[in-house]
């Protein structure tokens, strides 16, 4: 297990290093002056020169890259141009909305996908299977933002069970609280989970059907296990490798894909922060947020690799 972990950890660190270099190159080394982009056409030469000095653009590119990466490693980030606040504080504040939203959406996705996928596989070529596959195809075809608007019209406008948007906060002193905060995230989480659950349900069904054709499953049934017992005890675990792969990618997509849904529901998360930073030409914030999202994707893939070894012990000794 030790060499397996070391190999995965080395891959994790190397991927982060490459990602940081790509993010830096795209946002700072492409043709054009970042200070002029931020100030726009109204920026005077003196203002551009002052902003270049503030952003460190007057220093060599390699030095700026090393200073940026070193600050990230130490937990020190640059100051936002438009907010005049360290980007770490801005991101930490917005992640209090985005991270719970992604976790709730992922929980809904896994519960729906595993349940529907197993149900469809157990009723292969029957009405239940056809119904689940048809519903999943519709789920894949429906855009998240359209489904989000539909949820608002039904549950917020017509039934008035929840608010149409906004986030009250997690603190009761600010007029929110745990219950109110969760209520504000339920509809966005459902809107995010719809497409992901549809995809994962189809993957689960295919993986389960493939494992059910194996000899060891027939042997388990011949020893007296019912179809349900064979599914839960033997088939599901052996079918988890492709399911974990897709689920890991989906969680990363939920973190990075909240931008549109957060704007539909007016949630103060990472998505709205990116939109506002782009509108304000705050490239400092955009750079650090993009690096955070890249790190989340790499970290999730690292965790999925570790889960592979838990599910299939053969990979630890391969």
């Amino acid at each position: 297990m030790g060499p397996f972990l070391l190999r995965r950890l080395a891959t994790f660190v190397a991927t982060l290093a490459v990602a940081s270099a790509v993010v830096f190159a795209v946002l700072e080394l492409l043709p054009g002056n970042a200070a002029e982009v931020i100030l726009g056409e109204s920026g005077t030469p003196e203002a551009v020169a002052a902003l270049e000095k503030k952003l460190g653009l007057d220093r060599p590119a390699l030095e700026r890259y090393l200073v940026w990466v070193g600050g990230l490693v130490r937990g020190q980030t640059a100051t936002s141009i438009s907010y005049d606040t360290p980007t770490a504080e801005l991101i930490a504040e917005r992640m209090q909305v985005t991270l719970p939203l992604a976790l709730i959406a992922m929980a809904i996705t896994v519960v729906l996908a595993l349940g529907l996928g197993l149900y469809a596989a157990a009723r292969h070529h029957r009405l239940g299977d056809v119904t689940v596959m048809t519903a999943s195809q519709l789920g894949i075809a429906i855009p998240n933002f359209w489904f989000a608007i539909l949820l608002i019209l039904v549950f917020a406008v017509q039934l008035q069970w929840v608010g149409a948007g906004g986030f009250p906060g997690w603190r009761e002193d600010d007029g929110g609280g745990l219950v109110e905060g969760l209520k504000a995230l339920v509809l966005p989480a459902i809107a995010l989970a719809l497409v992901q659950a549809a995809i994962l349900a189809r993957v689960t069904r295919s993986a389960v059907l493939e494992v059910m054709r194996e000899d060891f499953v027939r042997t388990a049934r011949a020893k007296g296990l019912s179809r349900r017992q064979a599914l839960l005890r033997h088939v599901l675990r052996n079918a988890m490798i492709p399911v974990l792969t897709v689920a890991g990618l989906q969680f990363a997509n939920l973190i990075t894909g909240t931008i549109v849904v957060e704007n539909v529901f007016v949630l103060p998360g990472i998505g709205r922060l990116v939109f506002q930073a782009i509108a304000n030409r705050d490239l400092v914030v955009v750079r650090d947020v993009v690096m955070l999202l890249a790190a989340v994707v790499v970290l999730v893939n690292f965790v999925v690799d570790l889960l592979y070894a838990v599910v299939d012990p053969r990979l630890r000794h391969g």
Side-chain angles (χ1 to χ4, degrees):
M1 189 66 175
F4 175 83
L5 285 176
L6 289 176
R7 288 196 301 270
R8 292 297 182 268
L9 185 59
T11 303
F12 171 71
V13 174
T15 307
L16 274 183
V18 172
S20 67
V22 172
V23 170
F24 181 84
V26 169
L27 291 180
E28 296 206 27
L29 296 184
L30 288 180
N33 189 309
E36 292 179 354
V37 172
I38 292 172
L39 293 176
E41 297 179 356
S42 59
T44 63
E46 293 78 10
V48 171
L51 185 56
E52 285 181 344
K53 185 175 181 179
K54 181 178 180 180
L55 296 177
L57 298 177
D58 54 339
R59 292 177 291 178
L62 180 59
E63 180 183 347
R64 287 187 278 126
Y65 172 73
L66 294 176
V67 169
W68 174 55
V69 173
L72 293 179
V73 172
R74 296 191 304 271
Q76 300 174 353
T77 56
T79 300
S80 165
I81 302 299
S82 55
Y83 294 95
D84 196 26
T85 304
T87 58
E89 296 182 13
L90 291 173
I91 293 173
E93 180 183 356
R94 302 304 181 96
M95 284 297 288
Q96 295 180 23
V97 177
T98 298
L99 184 58
L101 174 59
L103 290 174
I104 296 172
M106 194 66 216
I108 296 173
T109 297
V110 171
V111 171
L112 285 177
L114 291 183
L116 293 176
L118 285 172
Y119 178 83
R123 289 157 178 79
H124 188 42
H125 287 324
R126 289 191 282 177
L127 180 61
D129 183 22
V130 175
T131 302
V132 171
M133 290 300 97
T134 302
S136 65
Q137 190 62 48
L138 289 174
I140 295 173
I142 296 176
N144 281 336
F145 68 89
W146 183 87
F147 190 59
I149 295 172
L150 183 63
L151 290 175
I152 292 174
L153 290 175
V154 174
F155 294 100
V157 178
Q158 297 294 331
L159 299 178
Q160 297 184 357
W161 288 355
V162 293
F167 185 71
W170 298 111
R171 299 177 56 185
E172 295 183 1
D173 298 340
D174 299 330
L178 180 61
V179 175
E180 295 299 321
L182 291 176
K183 284 176 62 178
L185 296 181
V186 168
L187 292 187
I190 294 174
L192 284 170
L194 175 69
V195 174
Q196 308 300 335
I199 296 172
L200 192 59
R202 298 177 74 90
V203 173
T204 302
R205 171 186 175 273
S206 299
V208 169
L209 287 176
E210 183 177 351
V211 175
M212 286 175 66
R213 301 187 184 101
E214 298 291 337
D215 292 337
F216 73 88
V217 178
R218 286 193 288 268
T219 302
R221 292 296 306 277
K223 288 183 176 181
L225 289 182
S226 66
R227 190 180 184 88
R228 179 179 179 182
Q229 289 173 328
L231 276 173
L232 297 179
R233 294 184 187 181
H234 300 286
V235 175
L236 183 58
R237 179 167 182 173
N238 285 278
M240 284 303 291
I241 294 295
V243 174
L244 282 175
T245 302
V246 176
L249 294 174
Q250 286 183 324
F251 183 71
N253 287 336
L254 287 174
I255 292 287
T256 59
T258 58
I259 295 177
V260 175
V261 172
E262 283 182 356
N263 277 273
V264 172
F265 287 93
V266 200
L267 296 175
I270 289 293
R272 284 186 60 80
L273 177 62
V274 171
F275 262 110
Q276 292 166 352
I278 293 174
N280 296 331
R281 299 174 179 174
D282 196 342
L283 299 184
V284 176
V285 174
V286 175
R287 179 188 63 190
D288 287 354
V289 170
V290 171
M291 187 60 212
L292 170 68
L293 298 180
V296 168
V297 173
V298 176
L299 177 61
V300 169
N301 288 333
F302 175 69
V303 173
V304 169
D305 284 343
L306 299 183
L307 291 177
Y308 287 163
V310 174
V311 173
D312 190 349
R314 294 173 297 179
L315 297 176
R316 296 198 294 264
H317 310 290

PDB file of all heavy atoms in Angstrom, residues 178-211:
ATOM      1  N   LEU A 178     -28.950  27.189  10.222  1.00  0.00           N
ATOM      2  CA  LEU A 178     -28.707  25.942   9.502  1.00  0.00           C
ATOM      3  C   LEU A 178     -29.913  25.537   8.661  1.00  0.00           C
ATOM      4  O   LEU A 178     -29.777  25.190   7.479  1.00  0.00           O
ATOM      5  CB  LEU A 178     -28.354  24.829  10.489  1.00  0.00           C
ATOM      6  CG  LEU A 178     -28.074  23.451   9.883  1.00  0.00           C
ATOM      7  CD1 LEU A 178     -26.885  23.525   8.937  1.00  0.00           C
ATOM      8  CD2 LEU A 178     -27.836  22.412  10.979  1.00  0.00           C
ATOM      9  N   VAL A 179     -31.096  25.577   9.248  1.00  0.00           N
ATOM     10  CA  VAL A 179     -32.299  25.143   8.524  1.00  0.00           C
ATOM     11  C   VAL A 179     -32.580  26.061   7.342  1.00  0.00           C
ATOM     12  O   VAL A 179     -32.846  25.601   6.220  1.00  0.00           O
ATOM     13  CB  VAL A 179     -33.505  25.095   9.475  1.00  0.00           C
ATOM     14  CG1 VAL A 179     -34.781  24.758   8.708  1.00  0.00           C
ATOM     15  CG2 VAL A 179     -33.280  24.067  10.578  1.00  0.00           C
ATOM     16  N   GLU A 180     -32.517  27.368   7.579  1.00  0.00           N
ATOM     17  CA  GLU A 180     -32.792  28.312   6.494  1.00  0.00           C
ATOM     18  C   GLU A 180     -31.738  28.220   5.392  1.00  0.00           C
ATOM     19  O   GLU A 180     -32.056  28.338   4.205  1.00  0.00           O
ATOM     20  CB  GLU A 180     -32.838  29.742   7.055  1.00  0.00           C
ATOM     21  CG  GLU A 180     -33.986  29.990   8.019  1.00  0.00           C
ATOM     22  CD  GLU A 180     -35.337  29.786   7.364  1.00  0.00           C
ATOM     23  OE1 GLU A 180     -35.487  30.172   6.184  1.00  0.00           O
ATOM     24  OE2 GLU A 180     -36.235  29.236   8.020  1.00  0.00           O
ATOM     25  N   GLY A 181     -30.483  28.010   5.795  1.00  0.00           N
ATOM     26  CA  GLY A 181     -29.437  27.871   4.795  1.00  0.00           C
ATOM     27  C   GLY A 181     -29.627  26.637   3.924  1.00  0.00           C
ATOM     28  O   GLY A 181     -29.469  26.692   2.705  1.00  0.00           O
ATOM     29  N   LEU A 182     -29.983  25.519   4.549  1.00  0.00           N
ATOM     30  CA  LEU A 182     -30.217  24.296   3.789  1.00  0.00           C
ATOM     31  C   LEU A 182     -31.429  24.434   2.868  1.00  0.00           C
ATOM     32  O   LEU A 182     -31.415  23.940   1.734  1.00  0.00           O
ATOM     33  CB  LEU A 182     -30.419  23.110   4.749  1.00  0.00           C
ATOM     34  CG  LEU A 182     -29.173  22.670   5.524  1.00  0.00           C
ATOM     35  CD1 LEU A 182     -29.531  21.555   6.503  1.00  0.00           C
ATOM     36  CD2 LEU A 182     -28.069  22.206   4.585  1.00  0.00           C
ATOM     37  N   LYS A 183     -32.474  25.115   3.348  1.00  0.00           N
ATOM     38  CA  LYS A 183     -33.654  25.330   2.493  1.00  0.00           C
ATOM     39  C   LYS A 183     -33.296  26.129   1.242  1.00  0.00           C
ATOM     40  O   LYS A 183     -33.815  25.862   0.155  1.00  0.00           O
ATOM     41  CB  LYS A 183     -34.742  26.059   3.287  1.00  0.00           C
ATOM     42  CG  LYS A 183     -35.499  25.179   4.275  1.00  0.00           C
ATOM     43  CD  LYS A 183     -36.494  25.996   5.086  1.00  0.00           C
ATOM     44  CE  LYS A 183     -37.536  26.635   4.199  1.00  0.00           C
ATOM     45  NZ  LYS A 183     -38.548  27.389   4.989  1.00  0.00           N
ATOM     46  N   ALA A 184     -32.389  27.092   1.404  1.00  0.00           N
ATOM     47  CA  ALA A 184     -31.996  27.912   0.258  1.00  0.00           C
ATOM     48  C   ALA A 184     -31.158  27.122  -0.751  1.00  0.00           C
ATOM     49  O   ALA A 184     -31.082  27.507  -1.920  1.00  0.00           O
ATOM     50  CB  ALA A 184     -31.215  29.137   0.735  1.00  0.00           C
ATOM     51  N   LEU A 185     -30.546  26.023  -0.310  1.00  0.00           N
ATOM     52  CA  LEU A 185     -29.675  25.253  -1.201  1.00  0.00           C
ATOM     53  C   LEU A 185     -30.350  24.021  -1.795  1.00  0.00           C
ATOM     54  O   LEU A 185     -29.766  23.374  -2.671  1.00  0.00           O
ATOM     55  CB  LEU A 185     -28.418  24.802  -0.429  1.00  0.00           C
ATOM     56  CG  LEU A 185     -27.486  25.903   0.078  1.00  0.00           C
ATOM     57  CD1 LEU A 185     -26.286  25.293   0.790  1.00  0.00           C
ATOM     58  CD2 LEU A 185     -27.020  26.797  -1.061  1.00  0.00           C
ATOM     59  N   VAL A 186     -31.545  23.692  -1.345  1.00  0.00           N
ATOM     60  CA  VAL A 186     -32.201  22.460  -1.803  1.00  0.00           C
ATOM     61  C   VAL A 186     -32.492  22.518  -3.298  1.00  0.00           C
ATOM     62  O   VAL A 186     -32.115  21.612  -4.067  1.00  0.00           O
ATOM     63  CB  VAL A 186     -33.495  22.198  -1.009  1.00  0.00           C
ATOM     64  CG1 VAL A 186     -34.312  21.093  -1.679  1.00  0.00           C
ATOM     65  CG2 VAL A 186     -33.163  21.783   0.417  1.00  0.00           C
ATOM     66  N   LEU A 187     -33.176  23.559  -3.751  1.00  0.00           N
ATOM     67  CA  LEU A 187     -33.520  23.655  -5.175  1.00  0.00           C
ATOM     68  C   LEU A 187     -32.283  23.744  -6.071  1.00  0.00           C
ATOM     69  O   LEU A 187     -32.220  23.042  -7.091  1.00  0.00           O
ATOM     70  CB  LEU A 187     -34.449  24.844  -5.418  1.00  0.00           C
ATOM     71  CG  LEU A 187     -35.864  24.746  -4.834  1.00  0.00           C
ATOM     72  CD1 LEU A 187     -36.707  25.923  -5.312  1.00  0.00           C
ATOM     73  CD2 LEU A 187     -36.528  23.433  -5.196  1.00  0.00           C
ATOM     74  N   PRO A 188     -31.280  24.577  -5.743  1.00  0.00           N
ATOM     75  CA  PRO A 188     -30.070  24.567  -6.575  1.00  0.00           C
ATOM     76  C   PRO A 188     -29.390  23.197  -6.613  1.00  0.00           C
ATOM     77  O   PRO A 188     -28.882  22.792  -7.659  1.00  0.00           O
ATOM     78  CB  PRO A 188     -29.176  25.619  -5.906  1.00  0.00           C
ATOM     79  CG  PRO A 188     -30.098  26.504  -5.156  1.00  0.00           C
ATOM     80  CD  PRO A 188     -31.228  25.647  -4.720  1.00  0.00           C
ATOM     81  N   ALA A 189     -29.383  22.490  -5.481  1.00  0.00           N
ATOM     82  CA  ALA A 189     -28.752  21.172  -5.446  1.00  0.00           C
ATOM     83  C   ALA A 189     -29.497  20.187  -6.338  1.00  0.00           C
ATOM     84  O   ALA A 189     -28.880  19.388  -7.051  1.00  0.00           O
ATOM     85  CB  ALA A 189     -28.701  20.651  -4.011  1.00  0.00           C
ATOM     86  N   ILE A 190     -30.821  20.246  -6.323  1.00  0.00           N
ATOM     87  CA  ILE A 190     -31.611  19.365  -7.190  1.00  0.00           C
ATOM     88  C   ILE A 190     -31.355  19.693  -8.662  1.00  0.00           C
ATOM     89  O   ILE A 190     -31.214  18.792  -9.498  1.00  0.00           O
ATOM     90  CB  ILE A 190     -33.107  19.481  -6.851  1.00  0.00           C
ATOM     91  CG1 ILE A 190     -33.378  18.940  -5.449  1.00  0.00           C
ATOM     92  CG2 ILE A 190     -33.959  18.731  -7.871  1.00  0.00           C
ATOM     93  CD1 ILE A 190     -34.804  19.146  -4.973  1.00  0.00           C
ATOM     94  N   ALA A 191     -31.295  20.980  -8.970  1.00  0.00           N
ATOM     95  CA  ALA A 191     -31.026  21.381 -10.355  1.00  0.00           C
ATOM     96  C   ALA A 191     -29.661  20.881 -10.822  1.00  0.00           C
ATOM     97  O   ALA A 191     -29.498  20.438 -11.965  1.00  0.00           O
ATOM     98  CB  ALA A 191     -31.098  22.905 -10.480  1.00  0.00           C
ATOM     99  N   LEU A 192     -28.656  20.936  -9.938  1.00  0.00           N
ATOM    100  CA  LEU A 192     -27.326  20.446 -10.289  1.00  0.00           C
ATOM    101  C   LEU A 192     -27.292  18.929 -10.386  1.00  0.00           C
ATOM    102  O   LEU A 192     -26.581  18.361 -11.226  1.00  0.00           O
ATOM    103  CB  LEU A 192     -26.310  20.911  -9.247  1.00  0.00           C
ATOM    104  CG  LEU A 192     -25.860  22.360  -9.306  1.00  0.00           C
ATOM    105  CD1 LEU A 192     -25.046  22.717  -8.072  1.00  0.00           C
ATOM    106  CD2 LEU A 192     -25.031  22.607 -10.556  1.00  0.00           C
ATOM    107  N   ALA A 193     -28.054  18.241  -9.525  1.00  0.00           N
ATOM    108  CA  ALA A 193     -27.972  16.782  -9.429  1.00  0.00           C
ATOM    109  C   ALA A 193     -28.697  16.074 -10.560  1.00  0.00           C
ATOM    110  O   ALA A 193     -28.412  14.898 -10.823  1.00  0.00           O
ATOM    111  CB  ALA A 193     -28.538  16.319  -8.084  1.00  0.00           C
ATOM    112  N   LEU A 194     -29.622  16.747 -11.227  1.00  0.00           N
ATOM    113  CA  LEU A 194     -30.454  16.068 -12.223  1.00  0.00           C
ATOM    114  C   LEU A 194     -29.621  15.401 -13.312  1.00  0.00           C
ATOM    115  O   LEU A 194     -29.703  14.186 -13.539  1.00  0.00           O
ATOM    116  CB  LEU A 194     -31.423  17.062 -12.858  1.00  0.00           C
ATOM    117  CG  LEU A 194     -32.271  16.493 -14.010  1.00  0.00           C
ATOM    118  CD1 LEU A 194     -33.266  15.476 -13.486  1.00  0.00           C
ATOM    119  CD2 LEU A 194     -32.983  17.599 -14.761  1.00  0.00           C
ATOM    120  N   VAL A 195     -28.794  16.175 -14.001  1.00  0.00           N
ATOM    121  CA  VAL A 195     -27.996  15.633 -15.101  1.00  0.00           C
ATOM    122  C   VAL A 195     -26.987  14.621 -14.581  1.00  0.00           C
ATOM    123  O   VAL A 195     -26.790  13.553 -15.174  1.00  0.00           O
ATOM    124  CB  VAL A 195     -27.286  16.775 -15.855  1.00  0.00           C
ATOM    125  CG1 VAL A 195     -26.341  16.212 -16.909  1.00  0.00           C
ATOM    126  CG2 VAL A 195     -28.310  17.687 -16.503  1.00  0.00           C
ATOM    127  N   GLN A 196     -26.340  14.938 -13.447  1.00  0.00           N
ATOM    128  CA  GLN A 196     -25.322  14.040 -12.917  1.00  0.00           C
ATOM    129  C   GLN A 196     -25.923  12.694 -12.511  1.00  0.00           C
ATOM    130  O   GLN A 196     -25.326  11.632 -12.762  1.00  0.00           O
ATOM    131  CB  GLN A 196     -24.621  14.690 -11.718  1.00  0.00           C
ATOM    132  CG  GLN A 196     -24.092  16.086 -11.964  1.00  0.00           C
ATOM    133  CD  GLN A 196     -23.068  16.138 -13.075  1.00  0.00           C
ATOM    134  OE1 GLN A 196     -22.415  15.152 -13.373  1.00  0.00           O
ATOM    135  NE2 GLN A 196     -22.921  17.292 -13.711  1.00  0.00           N
ATOM    136  N   ALA A 197     -27.100  12.718 -11.890  1.00  0.00           N
ATOM    137  CA  ALA A 197     -27.752  11.471 -11.489  1.00  0.00           C
ATOM    138  C   ALA A 197     -28.157  10.649 -12.707  1.00  0.00           C
ATOM    139  O   ALA A 197     -28.054   9.411 -12.697  1.00  0.00           O
ATOM    140  CB  ALA A 197     -28.969  11.768 -10.620  1.00  0.00           C
ATOM    141  N   ALA A 198     -28.606  11.310 -13.754  1.00  0.00           N
ATOM    142  CA  ALA A 198     -28.996  10.590 -14.971  1.00  0.00           C
ATOM    143  C   ALA A 198     -27.805   9.874 -15.590  1.00  0.00           C
ATOM    144  O   ALA A 198     -27.893   8.710 -16.004  1.00  0.00           O
ATOM    145  CB  ALA A 198     -29.614  11.568 -15.963  1.00  0.00           C
ATOM    146  N   ILE A 199     -26.661  10.562 -15.649  1.00  0.00           N
ATOM    147  CA  ILE A 199     -25.456   9.947 -16.216  1.00  0.00           C
ATOM    148  C   ILE A 199     -24.981   8.787 -15.353  1.00  0.00           C
ATOM    149  O   ILE A 199     -24.692   7.691 -15.844  1.00  0.00           O
ATOM    150  CB  ILE A 199     -24.351  11.002 -16.368  1.00  0.00           C
ATOM    151  CG1 ILE A 199     -24.767  12.082 -17.370  1.00  0.00           C
ATOM    152  CG2 ILE A 199     -23.032  10.361 -16.785  1.00  0.00           C
ATOM    153  CD1 ILE A 199     -23.822  13.263 -17.433  1.00  0.00           C
ATOM    154  N   LEU A 200     -24.895   9.023 -14.036  1.00  0.00           N
ATOM    155  CA  LEU A 200     -24.360   8.004 -13.132  1.00  0.00           C
ATOM    156  C   LEU A 200     -25.281   6.792 -13.048  1.00  0.00           C
ATOM    157  O   LEU A 200     -24.806   5.659 -12.879  1.00  0.00           O
ATOM    158  CB  LEU A 200     -24.136   8.602 -11.742  1.00  0.00           C
ATOM    159  CG  LEU A 200     -23.331   7.755 -10.761  1.00  0.00           C
ATOM    160  CD1 LEU A 200     -21.950   7.458 -11.325  1.00  0.00           C
ATOM    161  CD2 LEU A 200     -23.208   8.458  -9.416  1.00  0.00           C
ATOM    162  N   ALA A 201     -26.586   6.986 -13.179  1.00  0.00           N
ATOM    163  CA  ALA A 201     -27.520   5.858 -13.171  1.00  0.00           C
ATOM    164  C   ALA A 201     -27.269   4.943 -14.363  1.00  0.00           C
ATOM    165  O   ALA A 201     -27.285   3.707 -14.245  1.00  0.00           O
ATOM    166  CB  ALA A 201     -28.964   6.363 -13.179  1.00  0.00           C
ATOM    167  N   ARG A 202     -27.018   5.506 -15.525  1.00  0.00           N
ATOM    168  CA  ARG A 202     -26.743   4.707 -16.713  1.00  0.00           C
ATOM    169  C   ARG A 202     -25.418   3.955 -16.576  1.00  0.00           C
ATOM    170  O   ARG A 202     -25.300   2.787 -16.970  1.00  0.00           O
ATOM    171  CB  ARG A 202     -26.724   5.586 -17.957  1.00  0.00           C
ATOM    172  CG  ARG A 202     -28.061   6.267 -18.241  1.00  0.00           C
ATOM    173  CD  ARG A 202     -27.970   7.180 -19.448  1.00  0.00           C
ATOM    174  NE  ARG A 202     -27.928   6.415 -20.678  1.00  0.00           N
ATOM    175  CZ  ARG A 202     -29.001   6.041 -21.383  1.00  0.00           C
ATOM    176  NH1 ARG A 202     -30.219   6.373 -20.953  1.00  0.00           N
ATOM    177  NH2 ARG A 202     -28.872   5.361 -22.491  1.00  0.00           N
ATOM    178  N   VAL A 203     -24.411   4.618 -16.005  1.00  0.00           N
ATOM    179  CA  VAL A 203     -23.124   3.956 -15.787  1.00  0.00           C
ATOM    180  C   VAL A 203     -23.277   2.818 -14.780  1.00  0.00           C
ATOM    181  O   VAL A 203     -22.720   1.722 -14.973  1.00  0.00           O
ATOM    182  CB  VAL A 203     -22.080   4.979 -15.297  1.00  0.00           C
ATOM    183  CG1 VAL A 203     -20.778   4.283 -14.900  1.00  0.00           C
ATOM    184  CG2 VAL A 203     -21.809   6.022 -16.366  1.00  0.00           C
ATOM    185  N   THR A 204     -24.028   3.072 -13.699  1.00  0.00           N
ATOM    186  CA  THR A 204     -24.250   2.028 -12.690  1.00  0.00           C
ATOM    187  C   THR A 204     -24.953   0.826 -13.294  1.00  0.00           C
ATOM    188  O   THR A 204     -24.568  -0.323 -13.054  1.00  0.00           O
ATOM    189  CB  THR A 204     -25.075   2.598 -11.527  1.00  0.00           C
ATOM    190  OG1 THR A 204     -24.401   3.723 -10.956  1.00  0.00           O
ATOM    191  CG2 THR A 204     -25.284   1.543 -10.446  1.00  0.00           C
ATOM    192  N   ARG A 205     -25.976   1.069 -14.075  1.00  0.00           N
ATOM    193  CA  ARG A 205     -26.710  -0.029 -14.702  1.00  0.00           C
ATOM    194  C   ARG A 205     -25.791  -0.859 -15.594  1.00  0.00           C
ATOM    195  O   ARG A 205     -25.786  -2.094 -15.527  1.00  0.00           O
ATOM    196  CB  ARG A 205     -27.859   0.537 -15.537  1.00  0.00           C
ATOM    197  CG  ARG A 205     -28.580  -0.482 -16.409  1.00  0.00           C
ATOM    198  CD  ARG A 205     -29.603   0.216 -17.294  1.00  0.00           C
ATOM    199  NE  ARG A 205     -30.242  -0.701 -18.225  1.00  0.00           N
ATOM    200  CZ  ARG A 205     -29.762  -1.012 -19.436  1.00  0.00           C
ATOM    201  NH1 ARG A 205     -28.611  -0.481 -19.833  1.00  0.00           N
ATOM    202  NH2 ARG A 205     -30.407  -1.850 -20.225  1.00  0.00           N
ATOM    203  N   SER A 206     -25.001  -0.203 -16.439  1.00  0.00           N
ATOM    204  CA  SER A 206     -24.111  -0.922 -17.346  1.00  0.00           C
ATOM    205  C   SER A 206     -23.063  -1.729 -16.581  1.00  0.00           C
ATOM    206  O   SER A 206     -22.781  -2.893 -16.923  1.00  0.00           O
ATOM    207  CB  SER A 206     -23.418   0.065 -18.289  1.00  0.00           C
ATOM    208  OG  SER A 206     -24.359   0.757 -19.079  1.00  0.00           O
ATOM    209  N   ALA A 207     -22.488  -1.120 -15.536  1.00  0.00           N
ATOM    210  CA  ALA A 207     -21.466  -1.819 -14.759  1.00  0.00           C
ATOM    211  C   ALA A 207     -22.046  -3.026 -14.026  1.00  0.00           C
ATOM    212  O   ALA A 207     -21.429  -4.096 -13.970  1.00  0.00           O
ATOM    213  CB  ALA A 207     -20.823  -0.851 -13.763  1.00  0.00           C
ATOM    214  N   VAL A 208     -23.229  -2.863 -13.451  1.00  0.00           N
ATOM    215  CA  VAL A 208     -23.870  -3.965 -12.729  1.00  0.00           C
ATOM    216  C   VAL A 208     -24.227  -5.101 -13.683  1.00  0.00           C
ATOM    217  O   VAL A 208     -24.013  -6.288 -13.378  1.00  0.00           O
ATOM    218  CB  VAL A 208     -25.119  -3.458 -11.983  1.00  0.00           C
ATOM    219  CG1 VAL A 208     -25.955  -4.625 -11.459  1.00  0.00           C
ATOM    220  CG2 VAL A 208     -24.709  -2.554 -10.831  1.00  0.00           C
ATOM    221  N   LEU A 209     -24.755  -4.778 -14.846  1.00  0.00           N
ATOM    222  CA  LEU A 209     -25.108  -5.819 -15.818  1.00  0.00           C
ATOM    223  C   LEU A 209     -23.871  -6.581 -16.279  1.00  0.00           C
ATOM    224  O   LEU A 209     -23.924  -7.803 -16.468  1.00  0.00           O
ATOM    225  CB  LEU A 209     -25.811  -5.184 -17.025  1.00  0.00           C
ATOM    226  CG  LEU A 209     -27.247  -4.709 -16.807  1.00  0.00           C
ATOM    227  CD1 LEU A 209     -27.769  -4.012 -18.054  1.00  0.00           C
ATOM    228  CD2 LEU A 209     -28.157  -5.875 -16.429  1.00  0.00           C
ATOM    229  N   GLU A 210     -22.765  -5.881 -16.440  1.00  0.00           N
ATOM    230  CA  GLU A 210     -21.540  -6.555 -16.863  1.00  0.00           C
ATOM    231  C   GLU A 210     -21.049  -7.527 -15.799  1.00  0.00           C
ATOM    232  O   GLU A 210     -20.630  -8.649 -16.106  1.00  0.00           O
ATOM    233  CB  GLU A 210     -20.466  -5.513 -17.176  1.00  0.00           C
ATOM    234  CG  GLU A 210     -19.176  -6.113 -17.705  1.00  0.00           C
ATOM    235  CD  GLU A 210     -18.158  -5.053 -18.086  1.00  0.00           C
ATOM    236  OE1 GLU A 210     -18.532  -3.862 -18.104  1.00  0.00           O
ATOM    237  OE2 GLU A 210     -17.009  -5.419 -18.372  1.00  0.00           O
ATOM    238  N   VAL A 211     -21.093  -7.115 -14.532  1.00  0.00           N
ATOM    239  CA  VAL A 211     -20.631  -7.985 -13.449  1.00  0.00           C
ATOM    240  C   VAL A 211     -21.588  -9.165 -13.244  1.00  0.00           C
ATOM    241  O   VAL A 211     -21.158 -10.274 -12.925  1.00  0.00           O
ATOM    242  CB  VAL A 211     -20.472  -7.174 -12.149  1.00  0.00           C
ATOM    243  CG1 VAL A 211     -20.115  -8.086 -10.968  1.00  0.00           C
ATOM    244  CG2 VAL A 211     -19.403  -6.106 -12.317  1.00  0.00           C
TER     245      VAL A 211
END
